[in-house]
């Protein structure tokens, strides 16, 4: 488990490298010049936007459950890591809305706020994406690269990004700086949502 105490409040230096959205259900999402985040809903025009759950498996369980997965973020450093194992992955191909570089997203605690560039958008981190078999359908063998077990603790390690809700709407574009605002302590590590 990553130690959330290593994340600095107010840290700036992370950057948005790509933004993606799709108005229809599809594993991958095409890259865009910009996306608009809508408070309490998600990415304007994206199939996963809404107050209640939109992911098909979650709708089947409880269509009235709150949507804690309005915006999916993934760290581009993961693409570098899986490339070493022979997998070529580009932004948007694993279904994320915002691809970042320079911030250890997986080490952020639940409730962290991320502020994006001059567009004014703010999201709140709700938890980890739970990787599914669609990742292996995209590229055989990729799933075991983005989910595994910690060799020391035996705990499941999920690397396929984080989920969030939109607290303040605004535009997000590639090149936008990201500012981290940590929640009050005690910090809670991310769990799957």
């Amino acid at each position: 488990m990553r130690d959330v105490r290593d994340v600095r409040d107010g840290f700036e230096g992370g950057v948005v490298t790509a933004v993606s959205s799709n108005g229809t259900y599809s594993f991958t999402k095409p890259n865009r010049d910009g996306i608009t985040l809508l408070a309490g809903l998600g990415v304007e025009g994206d199939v996963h936007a809404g107050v209640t759950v939109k992911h098909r498996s979650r709708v089947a369980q409880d269509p009235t459950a709150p949507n804690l997965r309005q915006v999916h973020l993934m760290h581009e450093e993961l693409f570098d890591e899986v490339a070493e194992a022979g997998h070529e992955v580009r932004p948007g191909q694993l279904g994320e809305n915002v691809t970042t570089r320079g911030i250890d997203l997986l080490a952020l605690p639940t409730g962290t706020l991320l502020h994006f560039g001059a567009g004014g958008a703010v999201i709140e981190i709700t938890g980890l994406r739970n990787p599914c078999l669609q990742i292996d359908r995209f590229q055989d063998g990729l799933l075991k690269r983005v989910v595994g077990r910690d060799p020391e603790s035996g705990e499941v390690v999920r690397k396929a990004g984080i989920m969030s809700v939109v607290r303040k709407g605004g535009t997000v574009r590639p090149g936008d700086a990201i500012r981290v605002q940590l929640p009050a302590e005690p910090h809670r590590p991310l769990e799957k949502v």
Side-chain angles (χ1 to χ4, degrees):
M1 181 79 55
R2 296 169 190 259
D3 189 346
V4 296
R5 291 174 300 181
D6 292 337
V7 179
R8 292 175 289 146
D9 192 27
F11 171 73
E12 292 189 56
V15 65
V16 174
T17 59
V19 293
S20 309
S21 66
N22 199 339
T24 61
Y25 283 104
S26 171
F27 183 68
T28 62
K29 295 187 180 202
N31 296 152
R32 309 288 183 192
D33 292 334
I35 57 174
T36 300
L37 302 186
L38 303 173
L41 294 174
V43 179
E44 182 177 45
D46 192 84
V47 71
H48 292 106
V51 174
T52 57
V53 292
K54 300 301 176 195
H55 192 276
R56 290 177 174 169
S57 67
R58 298 189 194 288
V59 168
Q61 291 172 1
D62 180 2
T64 65
N67 187 3
L68 301 178
R69 302 163 54 101
Q70 294 174 359
V71 182
H72 176 199
L73 295 92
M74 191 170 296
H75 53 296
E76 194 172 53
E77 290 86 350
L78 177 64
F79 304 158
D80 301 335
E81 182 182 322
V82 299
E84 293 174 14
H87 295 281
E88 182 180 340
V89 180
R90 290 186 295 276
Q93 289 187 318
L94 294 182
E96 77 275 13
N97 300 111
V98 178
T99 311
T100 69
R101 186 168 282 281
I103 292 179
D104 188 350
L105 297 176
L106 304 176
L108 298 172
T110 302
T112 297
L113 299 178
L114 297 181
H115 301 256
F116 293 100
V122 179
I123 61 170
E124 179 180 339
I125 307 302
T126 56
L128 295 167
R129 174 190 186 185
N130 192 27
C132 64
L133 289 175
Q134 289 186 45
I135 292 175
D136 264 353
R137 289 186 199 127
F138 171 69
Q139 281 187 30
D140 189 42
L142 183 57
L143 181 60
K144 70 180 180 183
R145 301 291 174 195
V146 299
V147 66
R149 294 217 174 260
D150 182 286
E152 294 177 21
S153 69
E155 291 183 28
V156 174
V157 176
R158 294 171 179 86
K159 301 180 192 177
I162 62 174
M163 303 307 239
S164 65
V165 294
V166 181
R167 292 296 177 217
K168 182 180 176 196
T171 303
V172 180
R173 300 183 186 288
D176 280 352
I178 304 167
R179 183 173 61 85
V180 175
Q181 181 182 347
L182 296 176
E185 293 193 30
H187 291 158
R188 293 178 299 129
L190 297 176
E191 297 179 3
K192 69 177 183 171
V193 292

